[in-house]
């Protein structure tokens, strides 16, 4: 089954404790992206990657890092989480064959930073 | 910069009634527009899209949307809703970056029996 898998789905952590949210897709997509969803704000792009070893900032990259060492994986790293990073995070992927806006989303990771 | 405004944060409706979820966009260039749906505790999935051609776009689950350039709108409609349509709906526009979507704030559709 074609899917985007995120882990963990739920996480409660404390300020300053480094964490990683993993994202893996099995569709051989070149393009991957991270979004955060906050009430009243919709989804905002954090980082994206056009292919292996190619990443770039989205609209709200502060406090986050990403890496793309393999095509299927695109982890989101919070080096020193803060309470304002409490949010619902989504990973998404698509093929690079056309700029069509058709993204495949994971089920989301709800992060709470105390 | 492109932006999307969803005019209703919540829309309650009774089962089998028609529904319209409103979306306005701002853009000075050609637009590609989308509606995504998010069922409870799930990720987003594409409902329908407008890239070019016919202004009336049909999507999955009986939904359709009409692109209106003069009113800069892309409203989503369904003639008869079901309980299973209860979800959050996001309007989005393709921005300048590759496959970068700008999302609206979302409209929560609650279908009541």
């Amino acid at each position: 089954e074609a899917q985007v898998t995120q882990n963990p789905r739920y996480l409660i952590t404390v300020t300053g404790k480094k964490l990683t949210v993993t994202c893996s897709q099995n569709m051989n997509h070149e393009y991957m992206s991270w979004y955060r969803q906050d009430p009243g704000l919709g989804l905002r792009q954090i980082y994206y990657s056009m292919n292996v070893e190619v990443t770039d900032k989205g609209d709200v990259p502060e406090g986050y890092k990403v890496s793309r060492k393999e095509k299927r994986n695109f982890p989101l790293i919070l080096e020193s989480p803060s309470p304002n990073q409490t949010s619902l995070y989504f990973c998404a992927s698509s093929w690079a064959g056309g700029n069509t806006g058709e993204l495949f989303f994971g089920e989301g990771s709800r992060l709470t930073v105390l | 910069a492109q932006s999307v405004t969803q005019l209703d944060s919540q829309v309650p409706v009774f089962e089998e009634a028609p529904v319209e979820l409103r979306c306005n966009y701002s853009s000075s260039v050609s637009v590609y527009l989308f509606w995504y749906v998010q069922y409870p505790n799930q990720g987003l999935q594409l409902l329908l899209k407008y890239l070019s051609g016919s202004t009336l776009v049909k999507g999955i689950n009986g939904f359709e949307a009409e692109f209106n350039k003069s009113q800069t709108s892309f409203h989503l409609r369904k003639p008869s809703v079901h309980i299973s349509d209860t979800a959050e709906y996001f309007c989005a526009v393709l921005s300048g970056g590759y496959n970068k979507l700008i999302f609206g704030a979302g409209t929560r559709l609650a279908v009541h029996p």
Side-chain angles (χ1 to χ4, degrees), chain A residues 93-95 100-105, chain B residues 32-39 42-51 57-61 63 74 76 88-94 99 101 103:
Chain A
S93 71
S94 74
W95 52 85
T100 64
E102 292 190 49
L103 299 179
F104 293 82
F105 283 83
Chain B
Y32 295 166
L33 293 159
F34 307 82
W35 278 97
Y36 277 81
V37 59
Q38 183 182 27
Y39 297 106
Q42 294 186 27
L44 283 74
Q45 63 183 85
L46 183 65
L47 199 56
L48 51 80
K49 62 182 177 181
Y50 172 78
L51 302 182
V57 180
K58 294 190 183 297
I60 61 173
N61 300 337
F63 283 92
F74 190 55
L76 181 70
E88 188 153 21
Y89 293 79
F90 292 93
C91 183
V93 63
L94 194 64
N99 262 353
L101 292 173
F103 286 89

Side-chain angles (χ1 to χ4, degrees), chain A residues 27-101:
Chain A
M27 295 169 279
N28 202 35
H29 286 163
E30 292 87 358
Y31 177 90
M32 298 185 75
S33 180
W34 277 101
Y35 283 84
R36 60 177 289 174
Q37 181 183 3
D38 300 291
L41 297 177
L43 281 80
R44 293 176 291 167
Q45 190 183 55
I46 304 171
Y47 268 95
Y48 66 95
S49 170
M50 294 291 289
N51 214 324
V52 175
E53 302 291 2
V54 180
T55 63
D56 208 346
K57 297 177 180 179
D59 295 319
V60 288
E62 295 77 19
Y64 304 95
K65 286 176 57 177
V66 293
S67 69
R68 187 89 181 275
K69 299 190 184 306
E70 302 169 284
K71 194 173 186 179
R72 64 183 290 124
N73 296 324
F74 190 45
L76 179 70
I77 303 157
L78 286 72
E79 293 272 3
S80 182
S82 62
N84 64 13
Q85 292 178 298
T86 292
S87 187
L88 179 58
Y89 292 87
F90 287 100
C91 180
S93 71
S94 74
W95 52 85
N99 190 17
T100 64

